[in-house]
Amino acid sequence: MKLNEIYQIKHELWLKILFTSFAIEDDRLKNELYEFSLIEWRHLKWLSNKIVDLNDEYNYDRYAIEIEKTTSFEYFSYLINEIQLVMKNYNLEDKLFARMISDEYYFIIKLNQYLTDCENTRITAFNKKRIYNNKELSKESIDALTIFLFEETYKEYELILIYSYMQQYTNNITQYNVYQDLIDESQFHLKSFGNMLSLMGILAIPRVVIKELYKRFDIKQFLLDGIEEEKIAKEECRKLSMLVKDDELSRFFEFINYQENYHIELMKKALKGLS
């Protein structure tokens, strides 16, 4: 299998582990699975480095992923199988793949341990109840929250991929560091929104990011567009904070809103680095 084809199945595996972490309710297991997903993300970064070093290209194409399961044990068995399928394509003589297989072998050990030591719990992440932490929110608030979470989950996933791609192809250290900060921020936002979707019973994997969004050549325009998108995101957070009549949720969206402020400053910094 070619490296860019391995990149695709690794991308899919990253999403499978990440969204399993959102679906699982037990905090310890949820956090461990999320950490595994971050390691898979690093695998993707190193693999993309290798592909580019070999003067080849990679993309974010992927097949549809059916993530819905009914019990935690179904998830653990599913991930064991998916990891094993991906591992079959590694060149064990290559140090990068040796690292990957070592990590994933450990993941399999832990997942088998979960099957032995943990309780098999029901998954509620897909029950479509649209209730957040038993809060009594109005239908208007729930509808607004639902739309926001779906849109922002996709946006953060999209941004992670776009910033990673732009980072891969820049030699500007200022831009590289700014992209890394923005990736880290979007990882946190994606985690937050994914867990909220799960609590509401409406968890879903975002749609595929099309090539036209990340294969950009006008970096200045890309950053200017990014600033405008962050301004729009700020306004959506502000509107939702006012609409949702709940102090805890309002404070959370205000918190996200202020983070978007600094994202704008980071992009301005990257723009200055261009000149």
Side-chain angles (χ1 to χ4, degrees), residues 91-137:
N91 173 10
L92 301 186
E93 301 301 316
D94 185 291
K95 290 183 179 179
L96 173 57
F97 287 117
R99 162 63 193 265
M100 290 180 183
I101 204 167
S102 175
D103 288 343
E104 290 171 353
Y105 180 68
Y106 178 72
F107 298 167
I108 290 171
I109 290 173
K110 292 296 292 184
L111 288 161
N112 274 310
Q113 184 181 326
Y114 298 163
L115 287 168
T116 302
D117 299 341
C118 300
E119 182 183 353
N120 189 16
T121 58
R122 255 311 173 204
I123 298 299
T124 61
F126 308 97
N127 63 13
K128 298 181 174 57
K129 63 183 178 184
R130 294 211 308 150
I131 298 172
Y132 184 79
N133 271 357
N134 296 318
K135 292 180 181 294
E136 294 184 3
L137 302 176

Side-chain angles (χ1 to χ4, degrees), residues 228-244:
E228 291 306 309
E229 288 176 8
E230 292 292 349
K231 288 178 180 178
I232 292 170
K234 271 176 50 62
E235 181 61 19
E236 291 304 311
C237 277
R238 188 191 66 80
K239 287 179 180 177
L240 194 58
S241 178
M242 294 176 62
L243 184 62
V244 176

Side-chain angles (χ1 to χ4, degrees), residues 5-231:
E5 293 173 329
I6 295 176
Y7 188 92
Q8 177 176 327
I9 61 175
K10 288 285 285 183
H11 178 187
E12 293 165 0
L13 181 60
W14 166 59
L15 286 173
K16 290 167 185 174
I17 297 174
L18 178 63
F19 277 75
T20 295
S21 81
F22 299 155
I24 296 294
E25 293 184 14
D26 181 277
D27 285 339
R28 180 180 68 85
L29 301 182
K30 175 186 286 291
N31 291 334
E32 285 188 355
L33 288 166
Y34 183 73
E35 291 301 317
F36 294 167
S37 78
L38 291 180
I39 292 172
E40 287 292 344
W41 174 254
R42 289 199 290 278
H43 289 183
L44 283 174
K45 182 177 182 180
W46 298 332
L47 185 54
S48 66
N49 290 343
K50 188 177 186 70
I51 292 169
V52 172
D53 287 345
L54 293 171
N55 293 317
D56 203 349
E57 293 187 350
Y58 68 99
N59 58 55
Y60 296 132
D61 293 347
R62 59 176 172 82
Y63 290 112
I65 298 171
E66 179 50 63
I67 196 66
E68 185 173 342
K69 310 295 175 189
T70 58
T71 69
S72 58
F73 278 18
E74 280 186 59
Y75 270 116
F76 304 150
S77 298
Y78 165 74
L79 289 183
I80 290 169
N81 183 63
E82 294 301 308
I83 292 169
Q84 289 174 333
L85 289 173
V86 172
M87 289 168 74
K88 290 178 180 179
N89 299 285
Y90 295 163
N91 173 10
L92 301 186
E93 301 301 316
D94 185 291
K95 290 183 179 179
L96 173 57
F97 287 117
R99 162 63 193 265
M100 290 180 183
I101 204 167
S102 175
D103 288 343
E104 290 171 353
Y105 180 68
Y106 178 72
F107 298 167
I108 290 171
I109 290 173
K110 292 296 292 184
L111 288 161
N112 274 310
Q113 184 181 326
Y114 298 163
L115 287 168
T116 302
D117 299 341
C118 300
E119 182 183 353
N120 189 16
T121 58
R122 255 311 173 204
I123 298 299
T124 61
F126 308 97
N127 63 13
K128 298 181 174 57
K129 63 183 178 184
R130 294 211 308 150
I131 298 172
Y132 184 79
N133 271 357
N134 296 318
K135 292 180 181 294
E136 294 184 3
L137 302 176
S138 68
K139 184 179 184 302
E140 182 184 22
S141 296
I142 286 292
D143 288 346
L145 182 58
T146 299
I147 293 169
F148 176 88
L149 289 176
F150 277 130
E151 290 180 347
E152 291 302 301
T153 299
Y154 170 74
K155 190 201 84 170
E156 299 300 346
Y157 168 64
E158 175 190 279
L159 290 177
I160 290 167
L161 298 188
I162 292 175
Y163 293 140
S164 178
Y165 195 87
M166 304 302 283
Q167 187 185 55
Q168 185 63 248
Y169 288 97
T170 185
N171 293 317
N172 182 308
I173 189 63
T174 299
Q175 285 182 42
Y176 186 94
N177 288 334
V178 165
Y179 294 146
Q180 187 59 56
D181 286 337
L182 291 168
I183 290 167
D184 293 342
E185 293 281 277
S186 286
Q187 291 271 24
F188 170 73
H189 289 183
L190 178 58
K191 177 184 179 182
S192 299
F193 299 146
N195 282 324
M196 292 174 77
L197 283 171
S198 180
L199 282 171
M200 293 181 69
I202 51 175
L203 184 62
I205 289 184
R207 63 187 179 275
V208 173
V209 177
I210 60 173
K211 291 182 178 66
E212 288 76 10
L213 292 174
Y214 56 88
K215 289 195 172 183
R216 303 282 293 271
F217 299 100
D218 187 342
I219 307 303
K220 181 178 180 181
Q221 190 58 51
F222 164 73
L223 291 167
L224 289 171
D225 291 345
I227 289 171
E228 291 306 309
E229 288 176 8
E230 292 292 349
K231 288 178 180 178

